[in-house]
Amino acid sequence: MSYVAPLKDMRFVLNELAGLAEVAKLPGYQDATPDTVDAILEEASKFASGVLDPINYSGDQEGSVWKDGRVTTPKGFKQAYRQYVEGGWGALPFSPDWGGQGLPKLVATAVEEMLTASNMSFSLCPLLTQGAIHALELCGSAALQKTFLGKMIEGTWTGTMNLTEPQAGSDLALVRTKAERSGDHFLVSGQKIFITYGEHDLAENILHLVLARAPEAPEGVKGISLFLVPKFLVKPDGSLGERNGAKCASIEHKLGIHASPTAVMVFEKAVGYLVGEENKGLAYMFIMMNSARFSVGLEGVAIAERAFQRALAYAKERLQGKDLIEGKTVPIIRHPDVRRMLMLMKSQAEATRALAYVVAAAMDFAHKSGDPKHQAFIDLMIPVVKGWSTETGIEVASLGVQVHGGMGFVEETGAAQYLRDARITTIYEGTTGIQAMDLVGRKIGRDGGSTAKAWLAEVRKVPENVISSQLAVGVQAVSDCVDFIVGSKDPRATFAGAVPFLKLMGILAGGWQMARAAAISQRKKGGDTSFFEAKIATARFYGEHVLVQAPGLRDTVVKGGGGVMALSDEQFLAA
């Protein structure tokens, strides 16, 4: 079955939960009218279903191929990327000053979900480019912006993020790549690994944002600078010049996302241009990182939706087993346990979507209003969106395989690809453990839990609905954990429960949105009654099957640290 964008639920979330009408009142967003947004969603849906989805399975089977430093993407990818550029899809959220369309991040988020759900491997190229654009917009010099931003926003040139080295994974203090001054630029030398779309044949130029150390830089993260290293040098008139010293040595052989080339990049005195100030590269890179973390969280949403759609279609047509009441052979969707799995998939896909869109709206408010409360909420929720949504995406994709039974374990049905593709999402741009430590240490510990407590106060304001009792229990569970984190004197105990706490935060944040959706649907009269009834039923299921995990997770957070540290290193080695 082909991917079909869930436009009805997307519109509900955009309008009723994320507040698109209020976002459209912000300065510069006046073009985000209901008619315009509807037209964008419809066209994006057609592009996702008609262009990207048909090359998803074939692209996975064929994969990208490296030969003599060049990478060839699977059949159809170049043509699809050309249509992506011609459609202006990459320009949606960026400034008209550089050729963007100036639309809200909220609108672009819905489009991004469609592109990712229909073809995750393809979507990774625009994802990294968007992060590079953000970094240049905020930190690049006027000269760099003039030379590179327009081409990147239109999609003619793409961008990458070069952090990781063989000896420096998440610990970027160990970065060894060097940058030597040479006139008005630097010469960058070193090796980077795991570079998504570091080399490809979709665009005429690739712009690498590279972490490296300038001469006499201090040790550790305080000595890291950020450099823009183009694949091809750019002449003063904007045309492409000679090939730079940035080469792809190989691409990785991976569990999933086969069509997306993950490159090993070697820089040999490659011309690079300093972005911002020396020794502030890590701060600049986190602009890209936070953008990417949100987008990777959205991948969890997209994979969950896609896996659910395929499982639902299969369950409707697969005849197997007898009906428990009538005794007739029935489609497996009639069996209670299959229905339970499908509802787990559906409810969590909807909950993760709603949370991501609400955070996207907060990004628009933070960008246009400058109100620090919006940024504080974003900072609190980014690790939740990234960590919880991706873990949920894997769970949902795994359930999709289970619904298919034995047919899910073979590649022909496509269910296995979603699970393979989803598996990377909890790893790159910071593992779930790193997101959880960020949430516990930086986002809650540093401000004494004040932002989290302000958010919990908002959750308590949700009107009475079908999951109010479970929501209240979840609020108390998170509140207890926040108090524990703030008051803890042992960081080992705190961090031992960080991932369970992140899951608890995600479950409650998703429940917050499902509760709001249920309360709104209960008030609706007329219109699509069936949709609102389904929304209420799905929220009820979420409360009874997902939110009920809250007390157990709380106990794990506040009591489980000792168990994690019970065995010494020597005992582990002996085991």
Side-chain angles (χ1 to χ4, degrees), residues 388-401:
W388 175 63
S389 299
T390 55
E391 292 284 355
T392 301
I394 292 173
E395 177 187 338
V396 171
S398 182
L399 283 168
V401 173

Side-chain angles (χ1 to χ4, degrees), residues 414-463:
Q417 182 189 346
Y418 306 138
L419 181 56
R420 289 188 290 100
D421 286 353
R423 194 60 192 85
I424 186 58
T425 61
T426 59
I427 299 172
Y428 59 16
E429 311 307 340
T431 63
T432 306
I434 288 173
Q435 306 304 318
M437 288 189 288
D438 178 45
L439 175 64
V440 168
R442 292 190 182 93
K443 308 305 169 57
I444 291 178
R446 282 187 183 176
D447 74 350
S450 60
T451 301
K453 291 174 182 177
W455 168 63
L456 290 173
E458 290 298 313
V459 179
R460 292 188 180 98
K461 294 178 183 178
V462 177

Side-chain angles (χ1 to χ4, degrees), residues 378-395:
I378 295 164
D379 291 342
L380 179 69
M381 285 297 162
I382 284 292
V384 179
V385 170
K386 199 285 183 183
W388 175 63
S389 299
T390 55
E391 292 284 355
T392 301
I394 292 173
E395 177 187 338

Side-chain angles (χ1 to χ4, degrees), residues 467-480:
I467 61 171
S468 289
S469 58
Q470 293 102 337
L471 191 69
V473 171
V475 168
Q476 188 60 53
V478 171
S479 180
D480 292 345

Side-chain angles (χ1 to χ4, degrees), residues 83-106:
Q83 289 178 258
Y84 170 86
V85 172
E86 291 171 352
W89 295 113
L92 287 179
F94 297 111
S95 171
D97 294 343
W98 303 109
Q101 297 182 31
L103 288 166
K105 173 71 172 178
L106 176 57

Side-chain angles (χ1 to χ4, degrees), residues 54-379:
I55 59 173
N56 182 49
Y57 178 77
S58 61
D60 176 70
Q61 296 298 300
E62 182 181 344
S64 285
V65 178
W66 177 91
K67 184 177 181 181
D68 298 329
R70 300 170 64 91
V71 171
T72 303
T73 53
K75 182 180 179 181
F77 269 57
K78 286 181 70 173
Q79 294 81 359
Y81 189 77
R82 189 178 307 119
Q83 289 178 258
Y84 170 86
V85 172
E86 291 171 352
W89 295 113
L92 287 179
F94 297 111
S95 171
D97 294 343
W98 303 109
Q101 297 182 31
L103 288 166
K105 173 71 172 178
L106 176 57
V107 176
T109 294
V111 172
E112 186 176 343
E113 184 196 333
M114 295 185 218
L115 304 186
T116 304
S118 58
N119 196 319
M120 181 173 155
S121 285
F122 179 93
S123 71
L124 286 169
C125 186
L127 185 160
L128 271 299
T129 302
Q130 288 180 18
I133 291 169
H134 284 307
L136 284 181
E137 278 186 323
L138 293 175
C139 309
S141 66
L144 289 180
Q145 292 175 347
K146 181 179 179 181
T147 302
F148 297 105
L149 273 181
K151 291 287 190 179
M152 296 175 76
I153 287 172
E154 73 179 22
T156 304
W157 299 347
T158 64
T160 71
M161 182 165 55
N162 288 246
L163 292 78
T164 308
E165 298 178 8
Q167 80 294 338
S170 301
D171 187 356
L172 295 175
L174 302 177
V175 164
R176 294 176 184 165
T177 300
K178 298 294 185 182
E180 302 173 2
R181 289 186 182 86
S182 178
D184 64 349
H185 59 268
F186 287 74
L187 298 178
V188 178
S189 299
Q191 180 180 336
K192 298 289 184 178
I193 62 173
F194 302 152
I195 309 306
T196 301
Y197 277 92
E199 173 63 23
H200 59 80
D201 58 357
L202 303 183
E204 63 183 27
N205 204 6
I206 304 171
L207 311 175
H208 304 286
L209 288 185
V210 183
L211 288 183
R213 295 185 183 280
E216 302 176 1
E219 293 297 319
V221 295
K222 294 181 179 180
I224 297 175
S225 299
L226 182 63
F227 300 89
L228 187 152
V229 182
K231 176 180 176 180
F232 289 97
L233 299 179
V234 180
K235 298 177 182 179
D237 64 359
S239 62
L240 296 184
E242 64 185 61
R243 179 71 185 263
N244 201 3
K247 303 294 175 63
C248 175
S250 65
I251 59 175
E252 304 293 353
H253 303 281
K254 301 169 298 189
L255 175 67
I257 54 170
H258 294 151
S260 168
T262 303
V264 174
M265 296 298 301
V266 175
F267 300 93
E268 298 177 345
K269 293 189 175 182
V271 173
Y273 305 98
L274 181 67
V275 177
E277 300 178 31
E278 283 189 42
N279 303 327
K280 294 187 177 180
L282 196 61
Y284 302 149
M285 185 60 79
F286 266 100
I287 296 171
M288 296 180 66
M289 183 74 78
N290 282 329
S291 172
R293 284 176 173 176
F294 176 81
S295 290
V296 172
L298 199 60
E299 289 177 359
V301 178
I303 285 288
E305 174 63 37
R306 189 67 183 95
F308 167 64
Q309 287 191 17
R310 184 170 290 277
L312 178 62
Y314 184 80
K316 287 179 177 178
E317 66 182 26
R318 174 63 167 168
L319 296 173
Q320 194 88 171
K322 304 292 185 181
D323 182 85
L324 294 175
I325 304 299
E326 299 175 358
K328 300 177 182 178
T329 299
V330 292
I332 62 173
I333 197 172
R334 296 282 294 276
H335 300 314
D337 190 57
V338 173
R339 187 70 67 91
R340 177 191 63 83
M341 289 188 287
L342 291 171
M343 285 297 288
L344 269 174
M345 298 173 79
K346 173 181 169 62
S347 63
Q348 292 183 104
E350 291 183 9
T352 55
R353 172 181 299 117
L355 179 62
Y357 286 25
V358 166
V359 173
M363 292 177 177
D364 287 320
F365 281 108
H367 176 55
K368 293 294 186 178
S369 72
D371 188 334
K373 72 178 182 182
H374 295 298
Q375 191 59 52
F377 172 73
I378 295 164
D379 291 342

